[in-house]
Amino acid sequence: MKKFENVFVFDHPLIKHKIAILRDKKTGMKEFRELIEEITTIMTYESTRDIKLEKVTVETPLEKTEQYKVPEESVAIVPILRAGLGMVNGVHKVFPTARVGHIGMYRNEETLQPQEYYCKLPDGIDKKTVFLVDPMLATGGSACDALDALKKRGCKNIKFMAVIGVPEGVEKVAKAHPDVQVYVSTLDRQLNENGYILPGLGDAGDRLFGTK
């Protein structure tokens, strides 16, 4: 895959371990959901090295000292429905007070193109660091459309996180949105003729929520 300055693919031993279990068709819904959350938490730590801090004064038991904190209300999480919901708690473990918006997209089974059916975002989201999350970055269509929707509402500082991606989808998002940081925990081989990731892990939404 061509290298892009705004694309980050993780090479973390713990993520590799968890991905191996995540892929296994014998992994049940509860464990699958927990693994998605755990991987997302690791990704969130790694993707916030550049997050803005503010200087604050803290009083320890011994003296006052100047420290640095993430400003309150400065982070928002936006899952792409429905599978993106599985990543929200993983980000919340790092930013427990982050507000959550939702963007609903579905894929037209004939054209494979995404269609937006729902969008509700927190007030002031244009001033926040926004984590747009979706476990699977396949064709890249849903991610691009969701990013367009956020930008139309004034969002400027956006990080997109996916657990599994493929070169086709990553390149599409990176080219269409060079100002967005794209984080993928694992890069898979390719898409099949139906637009599913190989080797992948099946339908993330079905495995998260026990549907077919």
Side-chain angles (χ1 to χ4, degrees):
M1 186 185 77
K2 179 182 176 182
K3 288 187 177 182
F4 295 90
E5 291 185 359
N6 61 321
V7 173
F8 307 87
V9 179
F10 294 105
D11 185 24
H12 196 292
L14 288 179
I15 289 179
K16 289 181 177 179
H17 168 78
K18 294 176 187 299
I19 288 289
I21 304 170
L22 197 67
R23 292 192 196 277
D24 194 330
K25 65 181 182 181
K26 296 191 296 293
T27 298
M29 180 180 65
K30 178 179 180 294
E31 188 175 11
F32 188 93
R33 185 168 58 244
E34 291 170 348
L35 287 163
I36 289 287
E37 291 182 10
E38 291 165 4
I39 293 168
T40 302
T41 299
I42 296 171
M43 294 180 68
T44 303
Y45 279 118
E46 293 293 325
S47 66
T48 52
R49 294 180 181 275
D50 62 346
I51 199 162
K52 293 181 180 179
L53 301 173
E54 64 178 2
K55 186 180 291 187
V56 297
T57 300
V58 174
E59 188 168 356
T60 77
L62 301 176
E63 64 179 18
K64 290 184 178 180
T65 177
E66 288 190 342
Q67 300 293 302
Y68 294 88
K69 294 177 65 177
V70 178
E72 289 290 330
E73 302 291 325
S74 65
V75 172
I77 312 165
V78 180
I80 299 177
L81 300 177
R82 63 184 167 135
L85 290 170
M87 299 177 69
V88 172
N89 285 346
V91 183
H92 260 156
K93 288 180 180 178
V94 183
F95 300 106
T97 62
R99 299 295 177 92
V100 181
H102 300 87
I103 292 181
M105 314 286 294
Y106 71 90
R107 184 171 67 168
N108 186 303
E109 294 300 328
E110 294 182 0
T111 65
L112 302 183
Q113 296 302 308
Q115 304 290 325
E116 179 183 322
Y117 66 88
Y118 183 77
C119 185
K120 188 172 181 62
L121 303 172
D123 291 339
I125 194 169
D126 56 309
K127 299 178 178 64
K128 301 179 187 294
T129 297
V130 181
F131 287 87
L132 179 67
V133 295
D134 194 2
M136 311 298 281
L137 177 51
T139 65
S142 294
C144 284
D145 280 14
L147 288 167
D148 287 337
L150 290 174
K151 288 182 177 181
K152 285 178 183 177
R153 291 160 175 84
C155 298
K156 300 178 181 65
N157 186 9
I158 308 171
K159 298 174 183 288
F160 175 75
M161 294 200 305
V163 175
I164 302 287
V166 288
E168 301 98 305
V170 171
E171 289 185 15
K172 181 171 183 175
V173 175
K175 288 179 179 178
H177 297 278
D179 56 328
V180 172
Q181 294 176 335
V182 179
Y183 296 90
V184 180
S185 89
T186 304
L187 193 66
D188 275 9
R189 188 175 71 250
Q190 66 186 70
L191 297 175
N192 66 12
E193 65 276 8
N194 296 317
Y196 286 95
I197 295 174
L198 297 176
L201 44 76
D203 187 296
D206 285 345
R207 297 191 68 183
L208 279 163
F209 304 116
T211 55
K212 292 184 179 180

